[in-house]
Amino acid sequence: MSKWILRGGRVVDPANGRDGTFDVLIDGGRIACVGRDLPIDGDIKVVDVPSGLVVCPGLIDMHVHLREPGHEHKETVATGCAAAVAGGFTAVACMPNTNPVNDNAGVTGYILTRAAEANLARVYPIGAVSRGQQGEQLADIGELKAAGCVAITDDGHPVATAMLMRRALEYSTLFNMPVIEHCEEQTLKADGVAHEGFHASALGLRGIPGEAESIMALRDIALAELTRGVLHIAHMSARQTLDAVRYGKSRGARVTCEVTPHHFILTDEMLGAPVAYDTNVKMNPPLREAADRDAMLAGIADGSVDAVATDHAPHHADEKHVEFDRAPFGITGLETAVSLCLDRLVHAGVVPLSRLVELLSVNPARILNVPGGSLAEGAPADLTILAPEMRVTISAAAMRSRSRNTPFDGWKLRGGVAATIVGGCAVYVNEQVSLQL
Amino acid sequence: MKKDLLGIDDLTRDEIYLVLDTAEAMREIGQRPIKKVPTLRGKTIVNLFYEPSTRTRTSFEIAEKRLSADTLNIAVATSSVLKGETLADTAMNIEAMAPDMIVLRHASSGAGHLLSRICRSRIINAGDGMHEHPTQALLDAFTIREHKKRIDGLKVTIVGDLMHSRVLRSNVLLLTKLGADVWVSGPPTLVPTGIERLGVRVSPAIDEAVTGADVIMMLRIQQERMHGAFIPSLREYFNIFGMTKARVARAKPEVIIMHPGPMNRGVEIASDVADGPYSVILEQVANGVAVRMAVLYLLAGGADAD
């Protein structure tokens, strides 16, 4: 099936100003042509897109933890990629906090080999800012770039010192790589396990104020301005951080940011109900209060937020089946994000579908400088076919990820994934839709 | 009653009064020459203590024995926790031996909730982290009612380390549920965010907070709070928040002074107050046995268990 056509679907391709019924001709794994009523000669396979489905450039999750090497009991590159394509993602960018840390070409190469073996989603490794993520000495960033890394981060922790962050922002401009920051002032976070607010107080959980995030964001935005470096703020959760990002953008700093679905949907009220002390609502940054959640939605609506990423953080059930303060931070996200976004952003009227495609595809590709985000002629044929009206019930037990730590189990949502196509090949087709891929 | 007693929210107002009334009857048992009734004969109760405790563990054990339950104490130092077993596994192993109740003391908030989801046995929270200590609040209410004949409308002032105190949270929930006017006071570094939403008045000015109080309840200040820079020194803490005779004089003339123990004399409370005429601190301890007997009896099914 080297040459085939997706006929008659609604194509949403904001990078090329398209939103309407188009045919998409794919040849040799690339987009050959997008147009109306494309001619069909003999050897072209025709796939009719049922009405109601939407063809868009492949979704890119720019913040996932694939856990390999070192934590294969939580996830592997293969299981993570299977989860990704089932969730509609044609590409993922994976964080370097593995064991060993992805701070050298050997680990990067290992991850890419595993990804090639899985042959599902594209995998873009993100390297460490500092050697061993120890916050002391820069990793060999040029070597990481050459090996295939697309960005650097010490995710899991912030870049330890202002000086190291300054150096990272300066040095990475050599390679046109953004520095992705997990913003957290660690002395202020201390041993906190939940958002500092009424619910944590009532439940006797140690708090993490929103300012633990925004203080670090302000530091880094100031340094981005100083250095003209490229900064991306990961998993933003606090309204104060959004204000910081807006401030930075207004001053011309090269700063972008992402928000996770759980931070624009859930609040710290979940700590106490429906299940008190549910470790599947423990993540870092924590679920914050309604004012923060509403601020994230406002930032998504007004364009201040550049991307939606999942911070997919699989943990083994045994690790989560402990006391709340002893459980690891994090939830899975790859297989819930699209349904959550369609239901809570598009159907709820926060953004139109084209803007969602920007958040999940166009902008992540632009921020990471990777192919994708566009159905331009010659672009790789990475496509996601969305089913915005599909009724979906989230089932943790049915997930492809090796881990099941999601707070969304049992949620009924409107919107799902019909199919995922990478390099012209269907890597996932939802059995509920009639697509002859 | 619900299956478990994890916190005060598990009890309705009527159930709280039922516990207090039942405790009156239970206290009489402790005054008999033979301090034992057969009420919980054949019931097995496991006291699972992950934190050191003298008062609470002893109190539960005496209460269980006076009701003729078979009791078993598991303390952390002698358990398999040191061999790396999780709380959930320990609970399932205990559960496999079919006890009727587990009394749990644990350093993590919500540990009882975890057990509650795993176990068919009834779980009684004997203190979970910074969350709740419901039987303490019940025995405090019993003690207050004994002296004041009511709880509704009393001004109760709670002073000390509000942030880390499970006694505070249980008392606030219980006393506000029964209509008391609850004031809390402590260094701003030790006041939990949003605590006023529980229906209490927060006043860092202790002299204002104790003025006209019917009840003053002191909370323990732990030495290690100084290392977290919550307070500069124990000496300064005593000067600003310590309960002295001069402060007690601002309260109602018949005020009672309470402390859940263990007490730091000269830190949160002056000895002449702790041992003075208004102090009911040892009565609290005595009442603890009767109140815990009542809780055990009612959770076991009350009259149905007889």
Side-chain angles (χ1 to χ4, degrees), chain A residues 196 201 204 275-277 323 325, chain B residues 106 108-109 117 131 169 193-194:
Chain A
E196 181 178 314
S201 291
V275 178
Y277 302 98
E323 300 88 322
D325 53 2
Chain B
H106 198 284
S108 293
S109 300
R117 291 196 280 271
H131 177 228
R169 286 167 178 79
T193 307

Side-chain angles (χ1 to χ4, degrees), chain A residues 153-411:
Chain A
T153 185
D154 273 353
D155 186 57
H157 300 286
V159 175
T161 65
M163 184 58 95
L164 185 68
M165 188 58 168
R166 176 195 179 152
R167 300 297 183 228
L169 284 163
E170 286 172 336
Y171 191 72
S172 59
T173 57
L174 262 181
F175 311 106
N176 200 23
M177 291 164 98
V179 180
I180 298 176
E181 177 71 319
H182 166 119
C183 292
E184 182 175 270
E185 209 293 319
Q186 295 203 285
T187 65
L188 202 50
K189 183 217 172 200
D191 50 3
V193 296
H195 173 64
E196 181 178 314
F198 170 74
H199 295 287
S201 291
L203 293 165
L205 296 172
R206 291 173 200 273
I208 307 171
E211 285 77 2
E213 183 180 270
S214 63
I215 285 173
M216 194 55 87
L218 284 163
R219 178 197 83 172
D220 295 335
I221 288 165
L223 292 171
E225 230 186 311
L226 171 69
T227 59
R228 300 301 302 148
V230 180
L231 173 68
H232 176 76
I233 308 252
H235 46 55
M236 178 171 67
S237 65
R239 57 192 189 275
Q240 299 91 331
T241 309
L242 180 60
D243 288 340
V245 168
R246 286 176 175 143
Y247 162 83
K249 287 184 172 186
S250 75
R251 292 175 59 89
R254 299 166 77 188
V255 58
T256 52
C257 64
E258 76 196 21
V259 176
T260 69
H262 48 277
H263 286 115
F264 68 69
I265 295 172
L266 306 178
T267 67
D268 61 348
E269 215 172 323
M270 296 275 288
L271 294 167
V275 178
Y277 302 98
D278 182 358
T279 56
N280 283 336
V281 298
K282 180 178 177 181
M283 66 287 282
N284 189 17
L287 296 179
R288 299 208 182 268
E289 53 203 55
D292 297 289
R293 189 261 321 269
D294 295 345
M296 295 305 117
L297 289 170
I300 287 168
D302 72 15
S304 307
V305 172
D306 298 279
V308 168
T310 67
D311 193 9
H312 178 78
H315 290 292
H316 195 276
D318 289 347
E319 296 165 317
K320 281 286 196 179
H321 194 47
V322 295
E323 300 88 322
F324 191 90
D325 53 2
R326 294 181 191 196
F329 292 101
I331 61 169
T332 60
L334 282 168
E335 293 170 82
T336 49
V338 163
S339 292
L340 292 168
C341 287
L342 285 169
D343 190 296
R344 297 309 173 98
L345 295 181
V346 177
H347 294 310
V350 177
V351 295
L353 193 53
S354 61
R355 167 79 176 131
L356 181 64
V357 173
E358 289 176 1
L359 289 162
L360 282 169
S361 178
V362 181
N363 293 348
R366 177 174 53 81
I367 293 165
L368 296 175
N369 303 303
V370 299
S374 163
L375 300 184
E377 219 170 280
D382 292 1
L383 303 157
T384 301
I385 304 179
L386 300 171
E389 299 303 326
M390 182 188 285
R391 300 288 160 168
V392 170
T393 301
I394 304 286
S395 166
M399 285 181 182
R400 269 90 166 158
S401 169
R402 184 160 278 186
S403 293
R404 305 282 150 85
N405 49 309
T406 173
F408 298 110
D409 192 26
W411 279 42

Side-chain angles (χ1 to χ4, degrees), chain B residues 224-246:
Chain B
E224 57 264 33
R225 301 301 169 223
M226 277 161 44
H227 305 308
F230 290 101
I231 52 172
S233 69
L234 297 181
R235 178 172 155 272
E236 174 147 318
Y237 181 82
F238 183 71
N239 287 337
I240 300 177
F241 288 99
M243 195 51 58
T244 58
K245 273 176 131 170

Side-chain angles (χ1 to χ4, degrees), chain B residues 197-247:
Chain B
R197 277 179 60 186
L198 290 175
V200 298
R201 290 279 295 272
V202 182
S203 172
I206 181 157
D207 287 343
E208 179 199 29
V210 298
T211 298
D214 297 284
V215 177
I216 297 174
M217 195 179 282
M218 303 306 296
L219 301 174
R220 168 182 167 76
I221 284 289
Q222 286 170 290
Q223 196 90 24
E224 57 264 33
R225 301 301 169 223
M226 277 161 44
H227 305 308
F230 290 101
I231 52 172
S233 69
L234 297 181
R235 178 172 155 272
E236 174 147 318
Y237 181 82
F238 183 71
N239 287 337
I240 300 177
F241 288 99
M243 195 51 58
T244 58
K245 273 176 131 170
R247 291 212 163 101

Side-chain angles (χ1 to χ4, degrees), chain B residues 68 111 235 259 279:
Chain B
S68 301
R235 178 172 155 272
H259 194 301
S279 169

